[in-house]
Amino acid sequence: MNPLELTGVIKRRDGFTLGPLDLVVPRGYVMGFVGANGAGKTTTIKIALGLVHADEGSVRLVGHDRVGVVHDQPAYVGKWTAAQVGRAVAPFHPAWDLERFRALLDWAGIEPTRQVKELSRGMGMKLQLAVALSHAAELLILDEPTSGLDPLARSELLEMLADFMTDERHSVLFSTHITSDLEKIADYVTVIERGRVVASTTRDELVDSYRLVRGAASELDADLRPLVHGLREHGVGWQGLMATEDTVSLGRRAVAEVPTLEEIVVHLAKEPRHA
Protein backbone atom coordinates (compact mmCIF):
# COMPACT_ATOMS: atom_id res chain seq x y z
CA MET A 1 0.00 0.00 0.00
CA ASN A 2 1.21 3.51 -0.76
CA PRO A 3 1.86 5.52 2.42
CA LEU A 4 -0.25 8.47 1.27
CA GLU A 5 -3.11 8.80 -1.21
CA LEU A 6 -5.43 11.78 -1.64
CA THR A 7 -8.35 11.27 -4.01
CA GLY A 8 -10.74 13.94 -5.25
CA VAL A 9 -9.86 16.28 -2.38
CA ILE A 10 -11.57 19.69 -2.38
CA LYS A 11 -11.25 22.45 0.22
CA ARG A 12 -12.89 25.86 -0.09
CA ARG A 13 -11.66 28.70 2.07
CA ASP A 14 -11.62 32.53 1.88
CA GLY A 15 -12.19 32.73 -1.86
CA PHE A 16 -9.61 30.00 -2.59
CA THR A 17 -10.50 26.49 -3.76
CA LEU A 18 -8.08 23.61 -3.49
CA GLY A 19 -8.80 20.80 -5.91
CA PRO A 20 -10.24 18.59 -7.08
CA LEU A 21 -6.84 17.14 -6.21
CA ASP A 22 -5.36 13.66 -6.54
CA LEU A 23 -1.95 12.99 -5.00
CA VAL A 24 -0.14 9.68 -4.51
CA VAL A 25 3.18 9.22 -2.74
CA PRO A 26 4.50 5.83 -3.95
CA ARG A 27 6.26 3.62 -1.44
CA GLY A 28 10.01 3.70 -1.87
CA TYR A 29 10.16 7.05 -3.69
CA VAL A 30 10.53 10.79 -3.14
CA MET A 31 7.58 12.82 -4.40
CA GLY A 32 8.38 16.48 -4.97
CA PHE A 33 5.38 18.73 -4.40
CA VAL A 34 6.12 22.05 -6.02
CA GLY A 35 4.34 25.30 -6.68
CA ALA A 36 4.46 29.00 -5.93
CA ASN A 37 3.69 30.33 -2.47
CA GLY A 38 -0.07 30.27 -2.03
CA ALA A 39 -0.61 27.50 -4.58
CA GLY A 40 -2.10 25.18 -1.97
CA LYS A 41 0.83 23.02 -0.84
CA THR A 42 0.53 23.62 2.90
CA THR A 43 -3.26 23.21 2.87
CA THR A 44 -2.83 19.88 1.08
CA ILE A 45 -0.34 18.72 3.71
CA LYS A 46 -2.63 19.78 6.56
CA ILE A 47 -5.47 17.80 4.98
CA ALA A 48 -3.18 14.77 4.59
CA LEU A 49 -2.25 14.97 8.28
CA GLY A 50 -5.84 15.45 9.43
CA LEU A 51 -5.21 18.99 10.66
CA VAL A 52 -7.72 20.40 8.18
CA HIS A 53 -10.91 18.65 7.10
CA ALA A 54 -11.55 18.42 3.35
CA ASP A 55 -14.96 19.42 2.05
CA GLU A 56 -14.89 16.51 -0.40
CA GLY A 57 -12.65 13.56 -1.25
CA SER A 58 -10.76 10.95 0.71
CA VAL A 59 -7.36 10.59 2.39
CA ARG A 60 -5.52 7.37 3.11
CA LEU A 61 -2.42 7.71 5.30
CA VAL A 62 -0.25 5.20 7.12
CA GLY A 63 -0.50 5.34 10.91
CA HIS A 64 0.46 8.70 12.37
CA ASP A 65 3.13 7.06 14.53
CA ARG A 66 4.87 6.10 11.26
CA VAL A 67 4.85 9.62 9.83
CA GLY A 68 7.60 12.17 10.45
CA VAL A 69 6.84 15.84 9.76
CA VAL A 70 9.24 18.75 9.21
CA HIS A 71 7.79 22.25 8.87
CA ASP A 72 9.58 25.46 7.92
CA GLN A 73 9.49 26.36 11.64
CA PRO A 74 9.31 23.99 14.65
CA ALA A 75 5.91 23.90 16.36
CA TYR A 76 7.31 22.97 19.78
CA VAL A 77 6.96 25.16 22.88
CA GLY A 78 9.65 27.83 22.71
CA LYS A 79 10.82 27.32 26.31
CA TRP A 80 11.31 23.59 25.88
CA THR A 81 14.86 22.35 25.63
CA ALA A 82 15.80 19.88 22.90
CA ALA A 83 15.81 17.11 25.51
CA GLN A 84 12.31 18.12 26.66
CA VAL A 85 11.10 17.98 23.06
CA GLY A 86 12.25 14.38 22.92
CA ARG A 87 10.51 13.50 26.19
CA ALA A 88 7.31 15.22 25.04
CA VAL A 89 6.99 13.38 21.73
CA ALA A 90 8.28 9.95 22.84
CA PRO A 91 4.95 8.73 24.36
CA PHE A 92 3.24 9.18 20.98
CA HIS A 93 5.69 6.87 19.20
CA PRO A 94 5.99 3.25 20.37
CA ALA A 95 9.20 2.84 18.36
CA TRP A 96 10.90 5.91 19.86
CA ASP A 97 14.70 5.46 19.88
CA LEU A 98 16.26 7.74 22.52
CA GLU A 99 19.83 6.84 21.61
CA ARG A 100 19.23 7.70 17.96
CA PHE A 101 17.62 10.98 18.96
CA ARG A 102 20.66 11.87 21.06
CA ALA A 103 22.97 10.92 18.20
CA LEU A 104 21.00 13.09 15.76
CA LEU A 105 21.10 16.04 18.15
CA ASP A 106 24.86 15.60 18.27
CA TRP A 107 24.97 15.49 14.44
CA ALA A 108 22.93 18.68 14.33
CA GLY A 109 25.19 20.41 16.83
CA ILE A 110 22.25 20.99 19.20
CA GLU A 111 22.97 20.82 22.91
CA PRO A 112 20.18 18.95 24.75
CA THR A 113 19.83 21.96 27.07
CA ARG A 114 19.25 24.48 24.22
CA GLN A 115 15.76 25.95 24.14
CA VAL A 116 13.70 25.80 20.96
CA LYS A 117 13.37 29.60 20.86
CA GLU A 118 17.18 29.92 20.84
CA LEU A 119 17.61 27.84 17.70
CA SER A 120 18.31 29.32 14.29
CA ARG A 121 16.05 28.42 11.38
CA GLY A 122 18.49 25.75 10.24
CA MET A 123 18.83 24.32 13.74
CA GLY A 124 15.05 24.27 14.12
CA MET A 125 14.78 22.26 10.93
CA LYS A 126 17.44 19.83 12.16
CA LEU A 127 15.65 19.39 15.49
CA GLN A 128 12.44 18.45 13.70
CA LEU A 129 14.38 16.09 11.46
CA ALA A 130 15.99 14.48 14.52
CA VAL A 131 12.52 13.83 15.94
CA ALA A 132 11.20 12.56 12.61
CA LEU A 133 14.06 10.09 12.19
CA SER A 134 13.96 8.74 15.75
CA HIS A 135 10.69 6.81 15.71
CA ALA A 136 10.96 4.45 12.74
CA ALA A 137 8.93 6.68 10.42
CA GLU A 138 8.07 5.19 7.04
CA LEU A 139 6.90 8.47 5.51
CA LEU A 140 8.51 11.87 5.87
CA ILE A 141 6.39 14.92 5.04
CA LEU A 142 8.49 18.03 4.55
CA ASP A 143 6.72 21.40 4.23
CA GLU A 144 9.14 23.99 2.79
CA PRO A 145 11.99 22.70 4.99
CA THR A 146 14.79 24.44 3.06
CA SER A 147 13.17 27.87 2.72
CA GLY A 148 15.57 30.44 4.15
CA LEU A 149 18.35 27.94 4.83
CA ASP A 150 21.93 28.53 3.79
CA PRO A 151 23.44 26.22 1.12
CA LEU A 152 25.28 24.09 3.70
CA ALA A 153 22.15 23.40 5.76
CA ARG A 154 20.20 22.57 2.60
CA SER A 155 22.92 20.18 1.49
CA GLU A 156 22.95 18.46 4.89
CA LEU A 157 19.19 17.99 4.77
CA LEU A 158 19.36 16.41 1.31
CA GLU A 159 22.12 14.07 2.50
CA MET A 160 19.94 12.95 5.41
CA LEU A 161 17.02 12.31 3.07
CA ALA A 162 19.23 10.30 0.73
CA ASP A 163 20.32 8.17 3.69
CA PHE A 164 16.68 7.75 4.80
CA MET A 165 15.74 6.55 1.31
CA THR A 166 18.28 3.71 1.33
CA ASP A 167 15.46 1.71 2.95
CA GLU A 168 13.04 0.77 0.16
CA ARG A 169 10.10 0.87 2.60
CA HIS A 170 10.58 4.61 3.10
CA SER A 171 8.91 7.44 1.21
CA VAL A 172 9.08 11.23 1.23
CA LEU A 173 6.65 14.01 0.31
CA PHE A 174 8.88 17.05 -0.21
CA SER A 175 6.89 20.26 -0.57
CA THR A 176 8.91 23.24 -1.76
CA HIS A 177 9.15 26.13 -4.19
CA ILE A 178 12.94 25.64 -4.45
CA THR A 179 13.09 23.37 -7.46
CA SER A 180 16.86 22.90 -7.40
CA ASP A 181 16.41 20.68 -4.32
CA LEU A 182 13.96 18.46 -6.19
CA GLU A 183 16.27 18.15 -9.18
CA LYS A 184 18.77 16.48 -6.85
CA ILE A 185 16.53 14.05 -5.01
CA ALA A 186 12.96 13.72 -6.36
CA ASP A 187 11.84 10.62 -8.26
CA TYR A 188 8.38 12.03 -8.99
CA VAL A 189 7.13 15.60 -9.19
CA THR A 190 3.64 16.98 -8.73
CA VAL A 191 3.15 20.61 -9.77
CA ILE A 192 0.30 22.54 -8.18
CA GLU A 193 -0.86 25.97 -9.26
CA ARG A 194 -3.80 27.93 -7.84
CA GLY A 195 -5.09 24.85 -6.06
CA ARG A 196 -5.01 22.53 -9.07
CA VAL A 197 -2.53 19.83 -10.05
CA VAL A 198 -1.20 20.80 -13.48
CA ALA A 199 1.33 17.96 -13.81
CA SER A 200 2.22 14.79 -11.91
CA THR A 201 4.73 12.28 -13.24
CA THR A 202 8.33 11.21 -12.88
CA ARG A 203 10.86 14.04 -12.76
CA ASP A 204 12.47 12.97 -16.05
CA GLU A 205 9.15 12.54 -17.84
CA LEU A 206 8.03 15.98 -16.69
CA VAL A 207 11.13 17.64 -18.12
CA ASP A 208 10.86 15.62 -21.33
CA SER A 209 7.22 16.63 -21.81
CA TYR A 210 7.98 20.34 -22.22
CA ARG A 211 10.26 22.58 -24.26
CA LEU A 212 11.30 26.17 -23.69
CA VAL A 213 10.66 27.90 -27.00
CA ARG A 214 11.28 31.28 -28.59
CA GLY A 215 10.62 32.67 -32.03
CA ALA A 216 9.99 35.70 -34.20
CA ALA A 217 6.89 37.81 -33.66
CA SER A 218 5.71 37.03 -37.19
CA GLU A 219 5.46 33.30 -36.34
CA LEU A 220 3.16 33.73 -33.34
CA ASP A 221 -0.20 33.28 -35.04
CA ALA A 222 -3.66 32.66 -33.59
CA ASP A 223 -3.24 28.87 -33.78
CA LEU A 224 0.11 28.81 -31.98
CA ARG A 225 -0.67 31.31 -29.21
CA PRO A 226 -2.96 29.00 -27.14
CA LEU A 227 -0.25 26.32 -27.10
CA VAL A 228 2.31 28.52 -25.33
CA HIS A 229 2.35 28.50 -21.52
CA GLY A 230 3.55 31.65 -19.76
CA LEU A 231 3.82 33.51 -23.06
CA ARG A 232 6.02 36.60 -22.94
CA GLU A 233 6.18 38.89 -25.95
CA HIS A 234 8.82 41.52 -26.62
CA GLY A 235 9.83 43.87 -29.41
CA VAL A 236 11.26 41.34 -31.82
CA GLY A 237 9.71 38.06 -30.77
CA TRP A 238 8.27 35.89 -28.02
CA GLN A 239 9.12 33.04 -25.66
CA GLY A 240 7.33 30.55 -23.47
CA LEU A 241 6.81 26.91 -22.65
CA MET A 242 5.19 24.34 -24.92
CA ALA A 243 4.31 20.69 -24.64
CA THR A 244 6.96 18.79 -26.55
CA GLU A 245 4.34 17.20 -28.79
CA ASP A 246 3.06 20.66 -29.77
CA THR A 247 6.43 21.92 -31.01
CA VAL A 248 5.68 20.39 -34.41
CA SER A 249 3.58 23.53 -34.91
CA LEU A 250 6.61 25.81 -34.66
CA GLY A 251 8.04 27.63 -37.62
CA ARG A 252 11.47 26.76 -38.99
CA ARG A 253 13.17 29.71 -37.29
CA ALA A 254 11.80 28.98 -33.82
CA VAL A 255 14.12 27.47 -31.21
CA ALA A 256 13.09 24.75 -28.73
CA GLU A 257 15.31 23.80 -25.78
CA VAL A 258 15.10 21.40 -22.84
CA PRO A 259 13.85 23.37 -19.80
CA THR A 260 14.88 23.11 -16.19
CA LEU A 261 12.31 22.05 -13.62
CA GLU A 262 12.25 25.64 -12.35
CA GLU A 263 11.48 26.98 -15.82
CA ILE A 264 8.57 24.57 -16.15
CA VAL A 265 7.09 25.62 -12.81
CA VAL A 266 7.58 29.35 -13.46
CA HIS A 267 5.92 29.25 -16.88
CA LEU A 268 2.99 27.13 -15.73
CA ALA A 269 2.46 29.59 -12.88
CA LYS A 270 2.09 32.41 -15.42
CA GLU A 271 -1.00 30.84 -16.91
CA PRO A 272 -3.96 33.24 -16.87
CA ARG A 273 -6.59 32.74 -14.19
CA HIS A 274 -9.90 31.56 -15.63
CA ALA A 275 -13.21 32.54 -14.12
Side-chain angles (χ1 to χ4, degrees), residues 3 23 28 60 70-71 76-77 87 92 101 111 171 178 189 198-199 216 250 261 263 274:
L23 177 66
R60 187 166 68 179
V70 177
H71 299 286
Y76 313 124
V77 176
R87 289 196 292 271
F92 298 96
F101 180 63
E111 293 291 334
S171 306
I178 304 175
V189 176
V198 295
L250 292 172
L261 184 57
E263 287 169 334
H274 298 288

XYZ file of all heavy atoms in Angstrom, residues 3 23 28 60 70-71 76-77 87 92 101 111 171 178 189 198-199 216 250 261 263 274:
181
model
N 2.000 4.896 1.104
C 1.860 5.519 2.421
C 0.898 6.698 2.453
O 0.384 7.042 3.516
C 3.289 5.960 2.749
C 3.958 6.111 1.428
C 3.358 5.049 0.556
N -3.382 13.023 -5.285
C -1.948 12.990 -4.998
C -1.597 11.644 -4.398
O -2.211 11.214 -3.419
C -1.569 14.110 -4.030
C -0.101 14.154 -3.582
C 0.815 14.479 -4.749
C 0.091 15.174 -2.459
N 8.653 3.874 -1.384
C 10.012 3.696 -1.866
C 10.531 4.842 -2.725
O 11.632 4.740 -3.272
N -6.000 8.608 2.510
C -5.516 7.367 3.114
C -4.048 7.561 3.482
O -3.204 7.830 2.623
C -5.672 6.186 2.155
C -5.336 4.850 2.818
C -5.802 3.681 1.982
N -5.045 3.557 0.745
C -5.241 2.591 -0.154
N -6.185 1.693 0.049
N -4.511 2.550 -1.241
N 8.307 17.631 9.042
C 9.235 18.746 9.210
C 8.621 19.973 8.551
O 8.381 19.986 7.346
C 10.612 18.448 8.571
C 11.529 19.658 8.706
C 11.249 17.229 9.231
N 8.335 21.005 9.371
C 7.787 22.251 8.870
C 8.914 23.269 8.658
O 10.076 23.014 9.015
C 6.769 22.825 9.854
C 5.594 21.930 10.108
N 4.586 21.751 9.190
C 5.276 21.155 11.185
C 3.684 20.911 9.682
N 4.078 20.527 10.883
N 7.156 23.309 18.375
C 7.306 22.973 19.781
C 7.245 24.237 20.650
O 7.465 25.354 20.177
C 8.628 22.247 20.016
C 8.910 21.135 19.037
C 10.084 21.122 18.281
C 8.001 20.099 18.849
C 10.333 20.113 17.366
C 8.249 19.082 17.939
C 9.415 19.103 17.196
O 9.660 18.114 16.283
N 6.983 24.039 21.933
C 6.960 25.156 22.885
C 8.341 25.800 22.938
O 9.360 25.105 23.090
C 6.534 24.664 24.281
C 6.594 25.801 25.300
C 5.124 24.072 24.226
N 11.357 14.130 25.162
C 10.515 13.498 26.187
C 9.028 13.734 25.904
O 8.188 12.882 26.216
C 10.881 14.034 27.570
C 12.237 13.550 28.082
C 12.384 13.769 29.569
N 12.469 15.191 29.912
C 13.593 15.876 29.968
N 14.755 15.277 29.686
N 13.589 17.147 30.309
N 4.112 9.329 22.143
C 3.241 9.183 20.982
C 3.813 8.228 19.938
O 3.161 7.944 18.937
C 3.002 10.547 20.325
C 2.309 11.534 21.229
C 3.043 12.463 21.956
C 0.931 11.509 21.377
C 2.412 13.369 22.798
C 0.289 12.406 22.213
C 1.035 13.345 22.933
N 17.947 9.569 18.816
C 17.619 10.982 18.958
C 18.818 11.756 19.495
O 19.156 12.831 18.983
C 16.414 11.145 19.888
C 15.996 12.576 20.097
C 15.535 13.349 19.040
C 16.055 13.151 21.370
C 15.144 14.669 19.234
C 15.667 14.466 21.570
C 15.214 15.230 20.501
N 22.824 21.269 21.538
C 22.966 20.825 22.913
C 21.586 20.459 23.467
O 20.604 21.167 23.227
C 23.577 21.929 23.768
C 25.022 22.256 23.429
C 25.960 21.118 23.806
O 25.603 20.347 24.735
O 27.017 20.991 23.182
N 9.396 6.516 2.232
C 8.907 7.440 1.212
C 8.999 8.858 1.755
O 9.028 9.074 2.976
C 7.459 7.125 0.837
O 7.300 5.783 0.459
N 11.539 25.612 -4.030
C 12.944 25.644 -4.445
C 13.205 24.398 -5.289
O 13.507 23.321 -4.777
C 13.886 25.700 -3.228
C 13.542 26.903 -2.344
C 15.345 25.779 -3.681
C 14.335 26.983 -1.060
N 7.426 14.198 -9.459
C 7.129 15.602 -9.193
C 5.653 15.867 -9.487
O 5.142 15.488 -10.549
C 7.994 16.552 -10.046
C 7.580 18.006 -9.811
C 9.477 16.371 -9.727
N -1.356 20.581 -12.033
C -1.198 20.797 -13.476
C -0.268 19.767 -14.107
O -0.223 19.639 -15.333
C -0.687 22.225 -13.770
C -1.716 23.257 -13.346
C 0.646 22.500 -13.080
N 0.464 19.020 -13.292
C 1.326 17.956 -13.810
C 1.709 17.039 -12.656
O 1.926 17.512 -11.529
C 2.579 18.528 -14.461
N 10.258 34.351 -33.682
C 9.995 35.695 -34.199
C 8.522 36.047 -34.025
O 7.648 35.170 -34.061
C 10.384 35.763 -35.671
N 5.716 24.661 -34.603
C 6.613 25.805 -34.664
C 7.133 26.038 -36.079
O 7.297 25.101 -36.867
C 7.807 25.592 -33.724
C 7.510 25.590 -32.221
C 8.758 25.179 -31.452
C 7.028 26.964 -31.768
N 13.543 22.224 -14.389
C 12.313 22.050 -13.621
C 11.779 23.411 -13.170
O 10.566 23.663 -13.201
C 12.575 21.149 -12.418
C 11.380 20.785 -11.545
C 10.286 20.125 -12.362
C 11.834 19.876 -10.400
N 12.092 26.298 -14.687
C 11.482 26.983 -15.823
C 10.080 26.444 -16.114
O 9.168 27.206 -16.466
C 12.383 26.860 -17.051
C 13.636 27.728 -16.964
C 14.649 27.419 -18.047
O 14.659 26.282 -18.559
O 15.451 28.315 -18.379
N -8.604 31.646 -14.945
C -9.903 31.564 -15.627
C -11.033 31.679 -14.605
O -10.949 31.162 -13.488
C -10.025 30.231 -16.377
C -8.990 30.057 -17.444
N -9.008 30.763 -18.617
C -7.867 29.276 -17.489
C -7.962 30.414 -19.362
N -7.260 29.512 -18.705
